[in-house]
Amino acid sequence: MAEQVERAFQKQPTVFLNKKAVLCKLKTGRKPTRYVKNVGLGFKTPIEAIKGTYIDHKCPFTGNVNIRGRILTGVVLKMKMQRTIVIRRDYLHYVHKYNRFEKRHKNMSVHLSPCFRDVKIGDVVTVGECRPLSKTVRFNVLKVIKGPGSKKSFTKF
């Protein structure tokens, strides 16, 4: 059973919780059923998503969200929201008049599922596009790569 910390009862909508024992053949110690899916595109489902007990309807591995469209990478910049992080995407913009490039960046709000536990500022994350989850969130974290601690360093991906 999931940790109940919200006012409403948290459950996965695809899992039926009131399953009866069939002719008294209920095995003791059986683990509860959990809905987990493979998002595809070569991304592995985290072990925490399979064995964990969290409930997140916006998680791409255990919730009702499909990944489609763009796959992007960025560096974690802020982690002050609940289940949402801000990532920084650096890129080069070509200025035709001077025949040179200039550095630019964009900040994006991204949903971070509880299956990614050890995410820190400066880690490199791979995100995938999904349906709008809120006013500013349209991407979901798919993979985390541990990175150096510097959060404002410019790197070209």
Short mmCIF file of all heavy atoms in Angstrom, two decimals, residues 14-47:
data_model
loop_
_atom_site.label_atom_id
_atom_site.label_comp_id
_atom_site.label_asym_id
_atom_site.label_seq_id
_atom_site.Cartn_x
_atom_site.Cartn_y
_atom_site.Cartn_z
N THR A 14 -5.62 1.81 -12.27
CA THR A 14 -5.68 0.58 -13.04
C THR A 14 -5.56 -0.68 -12.18
O THR A 14 -5.63 -1.78 -12.71
CB THR A 14 -4.56 0.55 -14.08
OG1 THR A 14 -3.31 0.77 -13.42
CG2 THR A 14 -4.76 1.63 -15.12
N VAL A 15 -5.40 -0.53 -10.86
CA VAL A 15 -5.22 -1.67 -9.97
C VAL A 15 -6.44 -1.78 -9.06
O VAL A 15 -6.82 -0.81 -8.39
CB VAL A 15 -3.94 -1.52 -9.12
CG1 VAL A 15 -3.82 -2.66 -8.14
CG2 VAL A 15 -2.73 -1.47 -10.02
N PHE A 16 -7.06 -2.95 -9.02
CA PHE A 16 -8.20 -3.20 -8.15
C PHE A 16 -7.69 -3.69 -6.80
O PHE A 16 -6.98 -4.69 -6.72
CB PHE A 16 -9.12 -4.25 -8.80
CG PHE A 16 -10.37 -4.51 -8.02
CD1 PHE A 16 -11.31 -3.51 -7.82
CD2 PHE A 16 -10.61 -5.76 -7.47
CE1 PHE A 16 -12.46 -3.75 -7.10
CE2 PHE A 16 -11.76 -5.99 -6.75
CZ PHE A 16 -12.69 -4.99 -6.56
N LEU A 17 -8.04 -2.98 -5.74
CA LEU A 17 -7.47 -3.25 -4.42
C LEU A 17 -8.25 -4.27 -3.61
O LEU A 17 -7.72 -4.83 -2.65
CB LEU A 17 -7.38 -1.94 -3.62
CG LEU A 17 -6.46 -0.87 -4.20
CD1 LEU A 17 -6.55 0.38 -3.36
CD2 LEU A 17 -5.04 -1.37 -4.27
N ASN A 18 -9.52 -4.52 -3.93
CA ASN A 18 -10.37 -5.37 -3.10
C ASN A 18 -10.50 -6.78 -3.66
O ASN A 18 -11.58 -7.35 -3.67
CB ASN A 18 -11.76 -4.74 -2.95
CG ASN A 18 -11.68 -3.41 -2.25
OD1 ASN A 18 -10.85 -3.23 -1.38
ND2 ASN A 18 -12.51 -2.48 -2.65
N LYS A 19 -9.41 -7.36 -4.09
CA LYS A 19 -9.43 -8.70 -4.66
C LYS A 19 -9.70 -9.73 -3.57
O LYS A 19 -9.07 -9.72 -2.52
CB LYS A 19 -8.10 -8.98 -5.35
CG LYS A 19 -8.08 -10.25 -6.16
CD LYS A 19 -6.77 -10.35 -6.91
CE LYS A 19 -6.76 -11.57 -7.78
NZ LYS A 19 -5.52 -11.72 -8.52
N LYS A 20 -10.64 -10.60 -3.84
CA LYS A 20 -11.01 -11.64 -2.87
C LYS A 20 -10.12 -12.87 -3.06
O LYS A 20 -9.62 -13.14 -4.14
CB LYS A 20 -12.47 -12.06 -3.08
CG LYS A 20 -13.46 -10.93 -2.97
CD LYS A 20 -13.68 -10.56 -1.52
CE LYS A 20 -14.84 -9.63 -1.34
NZ LYS A 20 -14.65 -8.30 -1.84
N ALA A 21 -9.97 -13.63 -1.99
CA ALA A 21 -9.24 -14.88 -2.07
C ALA A 21 -10.10 -15.90 -2.81
O ALA A 21 -11.27 -16.10 -2.48
CB ALA A 21 -8.92 -15.40 -0.68
N VAL A 22 -9.53 -16.55 -3.81
CA VAL A 22 -10.28 -17.52 -4.61
C VAL A 22 -10.26 -18.85 -3.88
O VAL A 22 -9.24 -19.52 -3.77
CB VAL A 22 -9.67 -17.64 -6.02
CG1 VAL A 22 -10.43 -18.66 -6.83
CG2 VAL A 22 -9.65 -16.30 -6.70
N LEU A 23 -11.43 -19.24 -3.36
CA LEU A 23 -11.61 -20.51 -2.65
C LEU A 23 -10.58 -20.70 -1.53
O LEU A 23 -10.02 -21.77 -1.35
CB LEU A 23 -11.55 -21.69 -3.62
CG LEU A 23 -12.62 -21.68 -4.72
CD1 LEU A 23 -12.35 -22.81 -5.70
CD2 LEU A 23 -14.00 -21.81 -4.11
N CYS A 24 -10.32 -19.63 -0.81
CA CYS A 24 -9.42 -19.65 0.35
C CYS A 24 -8.00 -20.11 0.00
O CYS A 24 -7.34 -20.78 0.79
CB CYS A 24 -9.99 -20.55 1.45
SG CYS A 24 -11.57 -19.96 2.08
N LYS A 25 -7.54 -19.76 -1.18
CA LYS A 25 -6.17 -20.12 -1.58
C LYS A 25 -5.26 -18.89 -1.57
O LYS A 25 -4.35 -18.78 -2.36
CB LYS A 25 -6.17 -20.74 -2.98
CG LYS A 25 -6.84 -22.10 -3.04
CD LYS A 25 -6.74 -22.67 -4.42
CE LYS A 25 -7.41 -24.02 -4.50
NZ LYS A 25 -7.38 -24.57 -5.84
N LEU A 26 -5.56 -17.97 -0.69
CA LEU A 26 -4.77 -16.74 -0.61
C LEU A 26 -3.40 -17.05 -0.03
O LEU A 26 -3.28 -17.62 1.04
CB LEU A 26 -5.49 -15.71 0.26
CG LEU A 26 -4.81 -14.38 0.45
CD1 LEU A 26 -4.70 -13.67 -0.90
CD2 LEU A 26 -5.56 -13.51 1.42
N LYS A 27 -2.37 -16.67 -0.75
CA LYS A 27 -1.00 -16.88 -0.27
C LYS A 27 -0.64 -15.76 0.69
O LYS A 27 -0.84 -14.59 0.39
CB LYS A 27 -0.03 -16.89 -1.44
CG LYS A 27 -0.27 -18.01 -2.43
CD LYS A 27 0.71 -17.90 -3.57
CE LYS A 27 0.43 -18.94 -4.63
NZ LYS A 27 1.28 -18.80 -5.79
N THR A 28 -0.09 -16.10 1.81
CA THR A 28 0.33 -15.08 2.77
C THR A 28 1.66 -14.50 2.31
O THR A 28 2.50 -15.19 1.75
CB THR A 28 0.48 -15.68 4.17
OG1 THR A 28 1.42 -16.76 4.10
CG2 THR A 28 -0.84 -16.19 4.70
N GLY A 29 1.82 -13.23 2.55
CA GLY A 29 3.06 -12.57 2.16
C GLY A 29 3.13 -12.18 0.70
O GLY A 29 4.18 -11.83 0.20
N ARG A 30 2.00 -12.25 0.01
CA ARG A 30 1.99 -11.89 -1.40
C ARG A 30 2.11 -10.38 -1.54
O ARG A 30 1.44 -9.63 -0.83
CB ARG A 30 0.70 -12.37 -2.04
CG ARG A 30 0.71 -12.28 -3.56
CD ARG A 30 -0.58 -12.78 -4.12
NE ARG A 30 -1.59 -11.74 -3.95
CZ ARG A 30 -2.88 -11.94 -3.95
NH1 ARG A 30 -3.36 -13.15 -4.06
NH2 ARG A 30 -3.72 -10.94 -3.81
N LYS A 31 2.96 -9.91 -2.44
CA LYS A 31 3.12 -8.47 -2.59
C LYS A 31 1.93 -7.89 -3.36
O LYS A 31 1.34 -8.57 -4.21
CB LYS A 31 4.44 -8.15 -3.31
CG LYS A 31 4.50 -8.54 -4.77
CD LYS A 31 5.78 -8.06 -5.37
CE LYS A 31 5.72 -8.22 -6.89
NZ LYS A 31 6.82 -7.61 -7.55
N PRO A 32 1.55 -6.66 -3.06
CA PRO A 32 0.40 -6.06 -3.74
C PRO A 32 0.72 -5.80 -5.22
O PRO A 32 1.87 -5.59 -5.60
CB PRO A 32 0.19 -4.75 -2.98
CG PRO A 32 1.49 -4.47 -2.33
CD PRO A 32 2.13 -5.79 -2.05
N THR A 33 -0.32 -5.84 -6.02
CA THR A 33 -0.14 -5.60 -7.46
C THR A 33 0.15 -4.13 -7.70
O THR A 33 -0.31 -3.26 -6.96
CB THR A 33 -1.39 -6.02 -8.24
OG1 THR A 33 -2.51 -5.29 -7.71
CG2 THR A 33 -1.63 -7.51 -8.13
N ARG A 34 0.93 -3.87 -8.74
CA ARG A 34 1.33 -2.50 -9.06
C ARG A 34 1.36 -2.34 -10.57
O ARG A 34 1.87 -3.19 -11.29
CB ARG A 34 2.70 -2.21 -8.46
CG ARG A 34 3.19 -0.80 -8.68
CD ARG A 34 4.35 -0.51 -7.75
NE ARG A 34 4.95 0.78 -8.02
CZ ARG A 34 4.47 1.94 -7.61
NH1 ARG A 34 3.35 1.95 -6.94
NH2 ARG A 34 5.06 3.07 -7.88
N TYR A 35 0.82 -1.24 -11.06
CA TYR A 35 0.82 -0.96 -12.49
C TYR A 35 2.12 -0.27 -12.87
O TYR A 35 2.44 0.80 -12.34
CB TYR A 35 -0.38 -0.08 -12.85
CG TYR A 35 -0.35 0.39 -14.28
CD1 TYR A 35 -0.62 -0.48 -15.33
CD2 TYR A 35 -0.05 1.72 -14.58
CE1 TYR A 35 -0.59 -0.05 -16.64
CE2 TYR A 35 -0.02 2.16 -15.89
CZ TYR A 35 -0.30 1.27 -16.91
OH TYR A 35 -0.26 1.70 -18.21
N VAL A 36 2.88 -0.89 -13.76
CA VAL A 36 4.14 -0.32 -14.25
C VAL A 36 4.17 -0.55 -15.75
O VAL A 36 3.78 -1.61 -16.23
CB VAL A 36 5.37 -1.00 -13.60
CG1 VAL A 36 6.65 -0.42 -14.13
CG2 VAL A 36 5.32 -0.85 -12.10
N LYS A 37 4.64 0.45 -16.50
CA LYS A 37 4.74 0.30 -17.94
C LYS A 37 6.11 0.73 -18.44
O LYS A 37 6.85 1.43 -17.74
CB LYS A 37 3.65 1.09 -18.65
CG LYS A 37 3.81 2.59 -18.56
CD LYS A 37 2.73 3.29 -19.33
CE LYS A 37 2.89 4.80 -19.22
NZ LYS A 37 1.87 5.52 -19.95
N ASN A 38 6.44 0.31 -19.65
CA ASN A 38 7.68 0.68 -20.31
C ASN A 38 7.38 1.86 -21.22
O ASN A 38 6.50 1.77 -22.07
CB ASN A 38 8.21 -0.52 -21.11
CG ASN A 38 9.53 -0.21 -21.78
OD1 ASN A 38 10.15 0.81 -21.52
ND2 ASN A 38 9.96 -1.10 -22.64
N VAL A 39 8.09 2.97 -21.05
CA VAL A 39 7.81 4.15 -21.85
C VAL A 39 8.34 4.02 -23.27
O VAL A 39 7.97 4.81 -24.14
CB VAL A 39 8.37 5.44 -21.20
CG1 VAL A 39 7.71 5.69 -19.88
CG2 VAL A 39 9.86 5.38 -21.05
N GLY A 40 9.20 3.03 -23.52
CA GLY A 40 9.75 2.85 -24.86
C GLY A 40 10.91 3.78 -25.13
O GLY A 40 11.50 4.36 -24.21
N LEU A 41 11.26 3.91 -26.39
CA LEU A 41 12.33 4.81 -26.85
C LEU A 41 13.68 4.47 -26.25
O LEU A 41 14.58 5.30 -26.21
CB LEU A 41 11.99 6.27 -26.55
CG LEU A 41 10.66 6.79 -27.11
CD1 LEU A 41 10.35 8.16 -26.54
CD2 LEU A 41 10.73 6.85 -28.63
N GLY A 42 13.85 3.24 -25.76
CA GLY A 42 15.13 2.81 -25.22
C GLY A 42 15.39 3.20 -23.78
O GLY A 42 16.51 3.03 -23.29
N PHE A 43 14.40 3.72 -23.07
CA PHE A 43 14.57 4.12 -21.67
C PHE A 43 14.11 2.99 -20.77
O PHE A 43 13.01 2.48 -20.92
CB PHE A 43 13.78 5.39 -21.36
CG PHE A 43 14.30 6.60 -22.06
CD1 PHE A 43 13.66 7.09 -23.19
CD2 PHE A 43 15.43 7.24 -21.61
CE1 PHE A 43 14.14 8.20 -23.84
CE2 PHE A 43 15.92 8.36 -22.25
CZ PHE A 43 15.28 8.84 -23.38
N LYS A 44 14.98 2.60 -19.82
CA LYS A 44 14.64 1.51 -18.90
C LYS A 44 13.78 2.04 -17.76
O LYS A 44 13.98 3.17 -17.30
CB LYS A 44 15.92 0.89 -18.34
CG LYS A 44 16.79 0.22 -19.40
CD LYS A 44 18.02 -0.39 -18.79
CE LYS A 44 17.65 -1.69 -18.12
NZ LYS A 44 18.84 -2.41 -17.62
N THR A 45 12.87 1.21 -17.30
CA THR A 45 12.04 1.56 -16.16
C THR A 45 12.88 1.44 -14.88
O THR A 45 13.49 0.41 -14.65
CB THR A 45 10.83 0.62 -16.07
OG1 THR A 45 10.11 0.68 -17.30
CG2 THR A 45 9.91 1.02 -14.94
N PRO A 46 12.93 2.48 -14.05
CA PRO A 46 13.74 2.41 -12.82
C PRO A 46 13.22 1.33 -11.87
O PRO A 46 12.02 1.03 -11.84
CB PRO A 46 13.57 3.80 -12.21
CG PRO A 46 13.08 4.67 -13.31
CD PRO A 46 12.33 3.80 -14.24
N ILE A 47 14.13 0.77 -11.10
CA ILE A 47 13.77 -0.28 -10.15
C ILE A 47 12.82 0.27 -9.08
O ILE A 47 11.90 -0.42 -8.64
CB ILE A 47 15.04 -0.88 -9.51
CG1 ILE A 47 15.88 -1.57 -10.58
CG2 ILE A 47 14.70 -1.84 -8.39
CD1 ILE A 47 17.23 -2.04 -10.11
#
